[in-house]
Amino acid sequence: MSGDRRTPVTPVTPVIAASDLDRTLIYSGKAVKLGLPPGAKLKSTPLYEDLVCVEMYKDAPLSHVTRAALATITELNELGVLVPATTRTRAQYHRITLPGPPPQYAVTANGGFLLVDGVADAAWSARVATVLAETSHPFAEVDGYMHAVFKPEWTKKVRSAEDLFCYAVVEREKMPDGFVEEVTDWAREHGWRASLQGRKLYLVPNELRKGSAVAEVARRVGADTVLAAGDSLLDAEMLESATAAIRPAHGELHDVSWITPGLAITLSAGATGGEQIAQWLLDGARDVLDRDTPRTSA
Ligand SMILES: [Mg+2]
């Protein structure tokens, strides 16, 4: 998906740091534990005291970062380089409070929306609608398929994400053998793709891509370096198309030992891995900004 050529480019920064959020930059209580030994109790580890809540849901803490990650994300936002790139809906994204000045650009609904100062860019939404209509079977057909094949015995709910894609919350251990493969094949035949992340099985149109929206942000701000971070199959193309990329040592990509040329992988899993990702993004952004800053001699 190419950008709208009529949108004027105002050079703002030579580098952007596009990062997936869940299980990459921010961590639910369950995801935090990905970095702990099996059976370890989070509350009895030093990590527990180190966590800071960045999202409340139904009056309870839902997502966290470590204190060090909080400081690093603050710096990324102060530099104006962080571009959150999430599969979350706009409402789910707005529940998160990242530290520092709010990012000017954010990608939500897996590339379905390009938020500019928190508001969906109409030109981008129109472009997405056109591309999806040309390349994949319609949302309503896939929504109907999911409601038909995801059985209540092992499905907690089937949800629409802003009428762009669907996901089901499932009990993985109760799903029939081969079900994910069956859904994956069906999706492929209809111009969609499947992604299993924790308890959620997503079906997403092939051309609904975070990387396309991130490329549009890079074009608008005049960035020629794109740093990217993500943990799931839905992030793979964003990582592949970036100048340099990192993924955590956990998650859907890690489980299949996924790599791409120049990919960095965190040393740790869980929230500590998230801390390493934030630092990697900051170090990479600073390298570019230092390179581009004219030096004066005394
Ligand atoms: Mg993720």
Side-chain angles (χ1 to χ4, degrees):
M1 217 182 296
S2 61
D4 182 345
R5 300 292 161 204
R6 293 166 301 181
T7 309
V9 173
T10 309
V12 179
T13 171
V15 55
I16 58 172
S19 182
D20 171 51
L21 294 175
D22 294 272
R23 295 182 171 219
T24 296
L25 216 51
I26 69 174
Y27 289 79
S28 67
K30 198 170 181 181
V32 161
K33 292 184 194 166
L34 292 169
L36 300 181
K41 291 206 168 12
L42 175 61
K43 284 192 177 177
S44 53
T45 67
L47 181 61
Y48 181 71
E49 293 298 325
D50 194 35
L51 294 173
V52 181
C53 175
V54 292
E55 179 188 21
M56 294 289 289
Y57 183 57
K58 293 182 177 173
D59 296 325
L62 182 60
S63 299
H64 313 79
V65 298
T66 67
R67 286 182 202 285
L70 193 81
T72 309
I73 295 167
T74 304
E75 283 192 64
L76 284 164
N77 277 330
E78 285 171 347
L79 290 173
V81 298
L82 184 63
V83 179
T86 179
T87 304
R88 287 182 173 225
T89 63
R90 285 173 290 178
Q92 291 166 342
Y93 169 70
H94 285 302
R95 286 204 308 250
I96 302 167
T97 307
L98 291 176
Q104 184 183 10
Y105 290 97
V107 172
T108 67
N110 214 63
F113 294 99
L114 178 53
L115 305 186
V116 184
D117 294 323
V119 179
D121 183 85
W124 181 255
S125 296
R127 177 166 290 274
V128 167
T130 301
V131 170
L132 295 189
E134 289 170 352
T135 55
S136 50
H137 282 235
F139 165 83
E141 182 182 343
V142 179
D143 191 47
Y145 167 78
M146 286 192 73
H147 278 92
V149 303
F150 282 76
K151 302 301 180 195
E153 297 84 72
W154 39 268
T155 305
K156 290 200 166 173
K157 56 188 172 187
V158 174
R159 287 283 183 270
S160 149
E162 310 213 53
D163 290 352
L164 283 167
F165 64 90
C166 313
Y167 63 92
V169 179
V170 296
E171 294 181 74
R172 283 172 73 154
E173 62 285 357
K174 292 186 185 171
M175 276 197 300
D177 288 345
F179 181 74
V180 175
E181 291 76 11
E182 183 187 313
V183 170
T184 301
D185 289 345
W186 187 93
R188 192 179 300 119
E189 288 161 13
H190 291 75
W192 289 53
R193 65 201 193 277
S195 172
L196 184 60
Q197 302 176 34
R199 298 179 307 135
K200 289 182 179 173
L201 206 166
Y202 293 84
L203 283 191
V204 179
N206 281 341
E207 292 303 321
L208 192 65
R209 294 173 176 272
K210 292 180 183 181
S212 303
V214 167
E216 174 65 5
V217 174
R219 193 188 69 79
R220 290 191 188 190
V221 302
D224 55 15
T225 299
V226 175
L227 307 174
D231 71 302
S232 83
L233 284 177
L234 293 177
D235 299 315
E237 48 82 30
M238 176 172 71
L239 304 188
E240 282 170 341
S241 59
T243 314
I246 187 169
R247 68 161 175 80
H250 64 246
E252 205 177 18
L253 294 177
H254 190 68
D255 290 346
V256 296
S257 304
W258 187 88
I259 55 167
T260 190
L263 178 77
I265 302 170
T266 62
L267 294 172
S268 308
T272 309
E275 179 180 305
Q276 292 163 5
I277 285 172
Q279 190 63 51
W280 184 91
L281 292 171
L282 180 61
D283 290 346
R286 277 193 183 137
D287 282 349
V288 175
L289 292 169
D290 290 349
R291 180 196 72 197
D292 282 29
T293 304
R295 299 192 187 281
T296 53
S297 52

